[in-house]
Amino acid sequence: MLTEKPKAEKAAKPDHQPAPARALPPTEELIAYFEGRYVPLRDAKVSIMTHAFMYGTSTFDGIRAYWNPDHHVMYGLKLQEHVQRIRRNAGMLLMTNLPSVDELVRIVVETIKRNDFQHDCYVRPVFYKSSQVIGVRLHNLEHDFCVLTVPFGNYIDIEHGVRLMTSSWRRNRDDALPARGKFAGGYVNMALQKSEAELNGFEEALVLTSDGKANEASAANLFIVRDGKIITPTVADDILEGITRLAVMELAEALGIPVEVRSIGRSEVYVADEIFLCGTGVQMSPVIEVDHRPVGSGRVGPIGRQLAEAYFNAVRGNDPRFRHWLTPIPTG
């Protein structure tokens, strides 16, 4: 079993997160969209008999919105892409008559506005089987929709780099549980991986496919760098169709960094010049060690750092080339 390695002392560096402009409200007072109404989070409750609670029959998405204090605007990141994905995933769960993309975007924006954050936030829309019934199935069940949003900073270290442990828990195959969908029940797979890594003293897991290819972290897409090129696994290797992953590839093209999409063997991870993770939660996070092996120099690499700086400029509305990613959400 892999055991904990003492962490190197970290030099203080500035965060990509601006300080909140005012005190944050108690969580239970935040406003959520719940079954057609905007209510305090304390009132957004379901029965313990709700099908999604008992069987994991729901699909969610994760969206970030970034506060820019200079513009005095919150920027919702790739809202249309996220709600398009959750609608597709809801369809896989046999949910029909869903709100349109425009309506879902409107609800997400309104939920953020009603909370009047001046702080980065995370938004979670959820379609869930709402019938109160015993029985494993997807058909002949009602469904409903909710959106919650909370202030949210950095999920893992985005400055100094994280250390990965190869998990003994493999990624679920797409023909067992659709890997491209964010289905609540499937996240037990990721929870097993994440806890195994953290309880062994690492920050994240490197997850392999059933045939041993490098897949993802526990809940983030994977990139490696070799000879000046960034490489990411193909969707055919049971990865989530990451929206941030596509954004990174768009950034790389703008910066003139070559991109290759293909399968990655486990040992190729060990010889990579750089590694970084990306996703709504982790944002852009460099990896400095895998299974006690330093990545490259053991420090954050130049390509990963360049892409991270470009990413945070883009999501905060400071790079006009990527304004099409953003939905401005004025605050009070």
Side-chain angles (χ1 to χ4, degrees):
M1 178 179 291
L2 295 170
T3 54
E4 183 170 3
K5 178 178 179 178
K7 298 182 181 179
E9 188 173 343
K10 298 176 180 178
K13 288 189 178 181
D15 197 351
H16 287 292
Q17 163 110 0
R22 56 172 174 251
L24 300 172
T27 300
E28 67 272 13
E29 294 180 11
L30 298 175
I31 302 301
Y33 178 85
F34 178 67
E35 299 184 349
R37 299 182 301 127
Y38 295 95
V39 299
L41 200 53
R42 67 168 69 88
D43 297 328
K45 297 179 180 179
V46 298
S47 165
I48 60 172
M49 273 197 70
T50 301
H51 200 271
F53 174 76
M54 292 192 293
Y55 299 110
T57 49
S58 67
T59 181
F60 67 92
D61 220 290
I63 304 171
R64 277 207 186 243
Y66 289 90
W67 170 247
N68 186 316
D70 296 327
H71 300 178
H72 206 75
V73 170
M74 185 81 82
Y75 288 111
L77 179 60
K78 289 185 170 282
L79 300 190
Q80 290 228 343
E81 290 89 339
H82 282 285
V83 301
Q84 285 169 346
R85 183 170 67 181
I86 195 174
R87 287 183 89 255
R88 290 194 298 267
N89 291 341
M92 279 198 272
L93 294 182
L94 301 183
M95 298 181 188
T96 58
N97 300 318
L98 303 174
S100 69
V101 169
D102 287 346
E103 176 64 8
L104 291 173
V105 169
R106 186 194 67 77
I107 292 170
V108 168
V109 168
E110 182 65 20
T111 305
I112 297 171
K113 285 178 65 177
R114 288 187 180 226
N115 286 286
D116 196 25
F117 294 128
Q118 294 188 9
H119 189 281
D120 296 352
C121 69
Y122 176 87
V123 186
R124 173 157 292 192
V126 185
F127 280 107
Y128 59 98
K129 296 289 186 178
S130 55
S131 294
Q132 297 180 28
V133 60
I134 302 292
V136 180
R137 65 180 188 273
L138 293 176
H139 64 288
N140 296 336
L141 295 170
E142 297 177 349
H143 62 267
D144 222 309
F145 180 65
C146 63
V147 180
L148 65 88
T149 181
V150 293
F152 204 63
N154 296 330
Y155 178 62
I156 59 175
D157 194 330
I158 62 173
E159 291 285 351
H160 310 93
V162 297
R163 299 172 307 121
L164 306 187
M165 165 191 166
T166 300
S167 178
S168 65
W169 295 98
R170 299 295 177 98
R171 178 71 149 116
N172 51 271
R173 287 172 54 98
D174 189 62
D175 58 1
L177 180 70
R180 60 173 36 87
K182 295 174 75 71
F183 301 114
Y187 271 69
V188 172
N189 182 239
M190 288 76 161
L192 289 165
Q193 297 151 5
K194 180 74 168 178
S195 285
E196 181 183 37
E198 289 194 348
L199 292 174
N200 277 283
F202 294 79
E203 289 80 40
E204 253 297 346
L206 171 65
V207 182
L208 306 181
T209 64
S210 59
D211 59 353
K213 301 295 185 184
N215 170 264
E216 295 181 333
S218 65
N221 287 122
L222 172 73
F223 283 85
I224 69 171
V225 180
R226 296 200 71 188
D227 301 322
K229 178 190 298 182
I230 66 171
I231 305 165
T232 190
T234 170
V235 174
D237 283 337
D238 299 328
I239 69 168
L240 177 73
E241 291 182 322
I243 291 169
T244 308
R245 171 178 173 269
L246 293 178
V248 169
M249 294 163 73
E250 186 178 345
L251 279 173
E253 181 180 6
L255 296 172
I257 301 170
V259 181
E260 186 175 355
V261 179
R262 62 166 172 80
S263 294
I264 299 171
R266 176 176 176 174
S267 65
E268 189 174 14
V269 175
Y270 292 156
V271 299
D273 301 319
E274 300 180 40
I275 301 174
F276 60 89
L277 309 175
C278 73
T280 299
V282 305
Q283 305 173 100
M284 291 280 293
S285 181
V287 176
I288 57 172
E289 183 183 298
V290 181
D291 296 340
H292 300 294
R293 296 163 175 85
V295 177
S297 67
R299 298 184 177 89
V300 178
I303 290 179
R305 190 175 295 282
Q306 182 185 14
L307 283 166
E309 290 175 358
Y311 178 80
F312 285 106
N313 270 328
V315 300
R316 294 202 188 279
N318 294 323
D319 189 333
R321 294 175 298 174
F322 301 100
R323 287 285 173 87
H324 61 284
W325 292 2
L326 307 176
T327 300
I329 305 169
T331 67

